[in-house]
Amino acid sequence: MRVAVNFNPEKNNAPQCAEKVCEILLGDGAEVSVSPAYRNKFSKYKNIIFEPLSESAEKSDFVIAIGGDGTMLRCAKKIIGYRAGMIGINTGRLGFMASLESDCLEKLLLLKRGQYEITERMLLHGILYDKTEKYEFDALNDINISGMYSKICDFGLYSGSYQVGSYRADGVIFSTPTGSTAYALSAGGPVIEPDLECIEMTLVCPHSLFSRAMLFSPERTLTLLSKSSSEESPVYMSFDGESPVTFQAESRLEISKSRYKIPFVDFYSKNAFHESLSKKLMQSIK
């Protein structure tokens, strides 16, 4: 069994947690790899492998991301297309995507024994067309389109040649079920079980009394057009918190289900998602 360990050195307790993870896995006979950037810190562990995650992901059975949800999103991008199971260990604040908390590391011993479950998480595939270029990407959480300084934006949404709707809002979020508990939830969208495949659209501060989040079949290809003047009120697109790119009035964004999925490792039960939801997002009402 081979495991790649990736952590955010700026997150509270993440480096110390990464050391404990390596000790547990190496003690259980696993092959463990970490980034060469941390060679000095981890050279005390015999037989540890130093190589970038971009290389070790292809060879690993599991990839462990230690930090917060942002750390897990960045790590997930590097394992797209590989068979490695994703394990998140939370040392941040919420860590809703995490498989484990930092005080439950002994559960990593279950990996070698096969005592875990896999949940396949769908991704969104986006293609942004402008006048001269095509920009493709995959998103685990969401695709966010919004204006600058809360300027209201005008959008048209199409499914094939059919216009689904025309909207005025501060922005729009297209999310996966995994991303339904992130920005989309804060914008008033529903909570969706992560193994249910669909495309969620949630408007941000819509200029309407009756706008609601919508769910689309994962088999649909949606096209979003900006009707706002890019000079008067520029519009930007970002996915999974990455740096935004300009979404010009002449551009169009196509959104569909990605051909890739990311296998998430779960050490608990089939009710783990609901247990995490209750523990982390419903504390104020319980």
Side-chain angles (χ1 to χ4, degrees), residues 96 181 185 191 271-283:
F96 195 79
T181 54
L185 178 67
V191 174
N271 297 318
F273 172 75
H274 298 283
E275 292 168 2
S276 184
L277 184 71
S278 177
K279 179 181 178 181
K280 297 185 177 183
L281 294 182
M282 298 180 68
Q283 293 177 346

Side-chain angles (χ1 to χ4, degrees), residues 90-184:
N90 180 38
T91 62
R93 286 178 294 178
L94 184 61
F96 195 79
M97 295 170 62
S99 308
L100 295 173
E101 297 297 318
S102 57
D103 58 352
C104 300
L105 299 182
E106 70 281 353
K107 287 192 175 292
L108 293 171
L109 296 172
L110 299 177
L111 290 174
K112 196 170 184 179
R113 295 151 184 77
Q115 297 176 6
Y116 58 86
E117 295 181 355
I118 293 289
T119 301
E120 298 278 355
R121 304 287 185 98
M122 72 168 279
L123 304 171
L124 291 179
H125 183 66
I127 308 177
L128 179 62
Y129 297 91
D130 63 19
K131 291 181 178 179
T132 59
E133 296 183 311
K134 181 175 76 169
Y135 177 53
E136 292 193 59
F137 58 90
D138 290 289
L140 173 60
N141 252 10
D142 49 38
I143 302 170
N144 174 39
I145 300 92
S146 60
M148 182 177 284
Y149 309 126
S150 299
K151 292 285 188 180
I152 200 163
C153 307
D154 291 283
F155 302 103
L157 181 69
Y158 298 81
S159 176
S161 60
Y162 176 76
Q163 183 171 4
V164 177
S166 183
Y167 308 101
R168 301 201 77 201
D170 282 1
V172 59
I173 307 162
F174 294 92
S175 67
T176 64
T178 298
S180 72
T181 54
Y183 187 18

